[in-house]
Amino acid sequence: MILSFDYGDVRYFRMARTVFGRAIYWTGVYLVDGLLVDSGPPNLARDVRQLVGELAVRQCVTTHHHEDHSGNHGLLATELRITPLAHASALPRLADADTQFQLYRRVAWGRRPPAPAAPLGDRLETTHFRFQVIHTPGHATDHVALFEPKRGWLFSGDLYLAPRLRYLRADEDVYAMMDSLRRVLALEPRVLFCQHRGRVEQGTARLRDKLVFLVELGGRIHELHGRGWSDAAVARALPGSDLLWRLWTGGDFSKRNFVRAFLRNPNAR
Ligand SMILES: [Zn+2]
């Protein structure tokens, strides 16, 4: 299923695999001035092929290697003769077969076929806009965001997602994530374009909300850990329930991962 949103110069295509008419996990791609930001999950290849056939796509950037963002790069190469751009550190992963098997990822997004990509520079130009490429590791080591200074746009990939996260992926680096948030906050973006949420107004305030939340959460985790609490007890004391996500992802998304990530480097910041 693909839903289309028109934000003027920016279009958003929200997409998800559906089972009995219900979306399993929403993600999305943007089109701005011929630039496609991400290419969607591999199990939606048929829909994406039709979509890009109707759009004037001239370039593509992938924000990071996760298959819900990079899943149709091969298709862009064969259908449109476009080689997607990605952070240099993502290229070996994208060119390799996806050997990681996690059931929820296969069900929600499918398996990404290997496809070549080309390295991003510091800037990226379209006909009417000039984007700064900002390396923003944390959610993934090869994560980038795109900033357009005149419009104050930040294409934030999976850097934002939500102001208050309820769980963390096992492979996320929370300290790098906070540094990346500080880096993009310094740019004072006005509008966020989140791959999973669509357009988010008051970008700087929302990103600051997320950073403050993480700083406070880290403080709380260190405090409870300092009192001798076990990781499991600390995780239980954190706000909200992660039960459904923990079960659905086999533990890949959990509050416990927050505890592990913050305690990985207890002296940091
Ligand atoms: Zn991701």
Side-chain angles (χ1 to χ4, degrees):
M1 179 197 293
I2 298 186
L3 306 176
S4 167
F5 297 80
D6 190 341
Y7 301 137
D9 287 318
V10 178
R11 294 180 72 188
Y12 177 50
F13 301 95
R14 197 165 191 235
M15 52 184 69
R17 181 184 172 197
T18 54
V19 173
F20 303 119
R22 293 192 59 166
I24 297 183
Y25 193 109
W26 288 107
T27 183
V29 307
Y30 289 95
L31 182 72
V32 50
D33 201 18
L35 173 68
L36 193 67
V37 183
D38 287 337
S39 62
N43 60 10
L44 294 182
R46 206 189 319 159
D47 296 328
V48 172
R49 179 179 287 116
Q50 190 182 347
L51 178 73
V52 297
E54 294 163 2
L55 302 172
V57 180
R58 293 186 292 276
Q59 302 181 78
C60 176
V61 163
T62 183
T63 57
H64 58 297
H65 75 278
H66 291 162
E67 64 273 22
D68 49 328
H69 299 260
S70 63
N72 294 298
H73 280 184
L75 182 154
L76 290 173
T78 50
E79 298 281 316
L80 303 176
R81 309 219 170 280
I82 288 172
T83 303
L85 300 163
H87 189 263
S89 65
L91 304 191
R93 271 193 180 125
L94 293 171
D96 250 8
D98 181 5
T99 51
Q100 282 198 346
F101 181 84
Q102 286 165 310
L103 184 63
Y104 80 94
R105 292 170 68 173
R106 287 285 190 274
V107 171
W109 303 314
R111 186 188 187 123
R112 172 177 48 75
L120 274 163
D122 293 341
R123 299 192 181 272
L124 181 66
E125 290 194 23
T126 63
T127 308
H128 300 101
F129 301 109
R130 295 189 72 183
F131 294 90
Q132 297 172 17
V133 178
I134 321 288
H135 186 210
T136 45
H139 174 74
T141 53
D142 51 24
H143 193 284
V144 296
L146 299 178
F147 180 61
E148 209 293 323
K150 280 193 189 148
R151 300 295 186 97
W153 292 334
L154 186 76
F155 290 87
S156 56
D158 281 355
L159 175 62
Y160 174 66
L161 296 178
R164 301 173 72 82
L165 295 177
R166 292 281 175 243
Y167 46 77
L168 206 67
R169 261 172 83 131
D171 58 356
E172 288 182 290
D173 179 339
V174 78
Y175 291 110
M177 188 185 290
M178 291 194 291
D179 276 349
S180 292
L181 286 166
R182 291 185 184 102
R183 199 169 306 127
V184 296
L185 273 168
L187 302 169
E188 300 186 5
R190 293 193 289 279
V191 183
L192 293 184
F193 292 105
C194 173
Q195 301 302 131
H196 294 273
R197 291 202 160 217
R199 182 172 64 181
V200 178
E201 299 291 348
Q202 298 189 303
T204 301
R206 296 290 78 76
L207 289 164
R208 192 171 293 121
D209 288 346
K210 178 165 182 178
L211 178 60
V212 167
F213 170 74
L214 290 175
V215 168
E216 289 177 358
L217 191 72
R220 175 107 180 111
I221 287 170
H222 282 296
E223 185 203 327
L224 296 176
H225 178 72
R227 284 195 221 159
W229 289 33
S230 70
D231 288 7
V234 176
R236 277 196 300 276
L238 300 184
S241 170
D242 64 351
L243 182 65
L244 281 180
W245 283 99
R246 193 151 38 90
L247 293 175
W248 152 235
T249 64
D252 195 34
F253 291 10
S254 76
K255 292 202 287 185
R256 183 88 171 255
N257 290 333
F258 262 131
V259 180
R260 292 195 185 105
F262 274 111
L263 296 181
R264 208 167 279 151
N265 185 356
N267 298 319
R269 285 145 281 203

